[in-house]
Amino acid sequence: MDVLKMLALPLLITLIQCPLYLSVKVSSKKPKVEVHEHSDAVLSCEFWTVKDQRPRIEWKKKEKGVTFVYFNEKFTDSYAGRAKIEGATLTIHSVTQKDSGEYRCEVTASEDKDNLGETTVTLNVLVPPHVPSCEVPKSVFVGAGLDLFCKDKLSVPPATYRWFKDNKALTATADTPYSIDPNKGTLKFKSVSKSDAGMYRCESSNNVGAPKSCVAQQLKVTEYPLNLTVLIAGAVGFLLLTLLCCICVCVCRRRGCCKKNKKTKSTKSYNPPPPPPPPIRNLKHYKQTQSFMI
């Protein structure tokens, strides 16, 4: 009995290890790969076949469409010289953000019953923070609203932001006259005061590399000049007066006091003047030389 058990155990192990499927099988040890920019990315692809020992291997990348990476035992132009393949595993050297995306490993075993198998690997290239672009106006008037903007479009994952005034980090609370959005990089003032003047800069950061900051920029806060105040008051007064006149005209028209009186037609008949008299012809005068008697 013990002998049978000893013989059955290796047989069971052999049955487990032998492929019972009749088609090619493809898989990846690491379907999601994250690497830093300018490092090597290894996209794992393993396969098993029943009969075909030299299957055809292809790698494709899914972008707007599907493009070839490795086809007919050659790399395409954008990967030639910077990629290699071992078995079915693909290695891309010195990756950039453009290499991020979804890759598909396809193995075709023509001698197997179901001769096509595939697996997908997603590559995400991590990019450290870059110097953000900061928008800080040179001057603003007291009491005006103000928005400061900061953006780093290149970092992966997307950066978060901090604002500094005079090299001191700003923290927004319910009592501060400003608000900060760390994800969008905006610093908003509802109403600027003289104390808000200073040197402002923004810092972007993520978990990939060291934080980066833009150059500090001076913000000046000035009061409205007297002549400008008078000009604004005059413009507001003119607008109010114009609005009042428009309202008066509308009310007058609705009440009918602005309608024009229609001219009455004349009932007298028209008699044309008499025609001029015909011209008088000149008569010749004859002298009587004889008398006649009957």
Side-chain angles (χ1 to χ4, degrees):
M1 192 69 178
D2 293 337
V3 175
L4 292 175
K5 288 183 179 179
M6 292 177 65
L7 293 174
L9 183 60
L11 180 62
L12 181 62
I13 295 174
T14 303
L15 290 174
I16 292 175
Q17 291 179 347
C18 287
L20 299 179
Y21 47 82
L22 299 177
S23 62
V24 60
K25 182 180 179 183
V26 183
S27 65
S28 177
K29 291 181 179 180
K30 198 173 183 181
K32 292 184 179 181
V33 178
E34 286 189 345
V35 295
H36 288 198
E37 190 178 29
H38 305 305
S39 63
D40 295 347
V42 179
L43 310 185
S44 169
C45 180
E46 297 179 347
F47 65 91
W48 295 265
T49 60
V50 179
K51 295 181 180 180
D52 198 338
Q53 301 302 315
R54 291 182 58 84
R56 186 179 68 186
I57 299 170
E58 296 178 1
W59 275 93
K60 299 176 182 178
K61 183 181 180 184
K62 183 178 179 182
E63 297 175 306
K64 293 181 179 179
V66 177
T67 58
F68 279 101
V69 176
Y70 182 79
F71 175 73
N72 200 19
E73 298 185 355
K74 293 181 181 179
F75 287 100
T76 56
D77 293 340
S78 59
Y79 294 90
R82 67 184 193 97
K84 67 177 182 179
I85 193 163
E86 295 178 349
T89 296
L90 173 66
T91 301
I92 306 174
H93 301 292
S94 188
V95 294
T96 64
Q97 183 57 36
K98 293 181 180 180
D99 294 319
S100 294
E102 184 178 289
Y103 292 78
R104 187 167 69 236
C105 175
E106 296 181 0
V107 178
T108 304
S110 58
E111 297 180 8
D112 290 8
K113 182 178 180 181
D114 295 332
N115 56 18
L116 177 64
E118 62 182 38
T119 188
T120 301
V121 180
T122 301
L123 173 61
N124 188 23
V125 179
L126 305 178
V127 181
H130 286 63
V131 176
S133 60
C134 302
E135 296 182 20
V136 180
K138 293 182 179 180
S139 63
V140 66
F141 290 114
V142 172
L146 177 63
D147 292 349
L148 307 185
F149 299 97
C150 179
K151 195 65 179 177
D152 175 9
K153 297 181 180 180
L154 300 176
S155 63
V156 180
T160 56
Y161 305 94
R162 289 200 307 167
W163 277 96
F164 294 80
K165 177 192 173 185
D166 299 330
N167 288 327
K168 294 182 180 180
L170 296 177
T171 303
T173 63
D175 298 329
T176 55
Y178 54 83
S179 62
I180 300 176
D181 190 329
N183 296 317
K184 295 182 178 180
T186 55
L187 172 61
K188 294 188 176 183
F189 292 86
K190 292 183 178 179
S191 179
V192 178
S193 63
K194 294 283 287 184
S195 61
D196 294 323
M199 299 290 291
Y200 286 84
R201 65 179 178 88
C202 172
E203 182 183 85
S204 63
S205 62
N206 61 13
N207 296 327
V208 181
K212 294 293 179 66
S213 176
C214 63
V215 178
Q217 302 178 44
Q218 178 71 45
L219 173 65
K220 295 181 180 180
V221 180
T222 59
E223 296 182 356
Y224 283 101
L226 180 61
N227 56 351
L228 182 59
T229 305
V230 173
L231 182 62
I232 294 175
V236 172
F238 176 76
L239 292 175
L240 292 176
L241 182 60
T242 303
L243 180 61
L244 181 61
C245 291
C246 292
I247 293 174
C248 292
V249 171
C250 292
V251 173
C252 182
R253 286 185 177 180
R254 287 186 179 181
R255 293 183 178 180
C257 57
C258 294
K259 294 181 179 179
K260 295 182 179 180
N261 295 326
K262 296 182 179 180
K263 294 182 179 180
T264 57
K265 295 182 179 180
S266 176
T267 57
K268 294 181 180 181
S269 61
Y270 174 74
N271 295 324
I280 302 174
R281 295 180 179 180
N282 294 328
L283 300 178
K284 294 182 180 181
H285 299 279
Y286 296 92
K287 184 177 181 182
Q288 185 178 358
T289 58
Q290 294 180 359
S291 63
F292 297 92
M293 294 182 69
I294 302 175

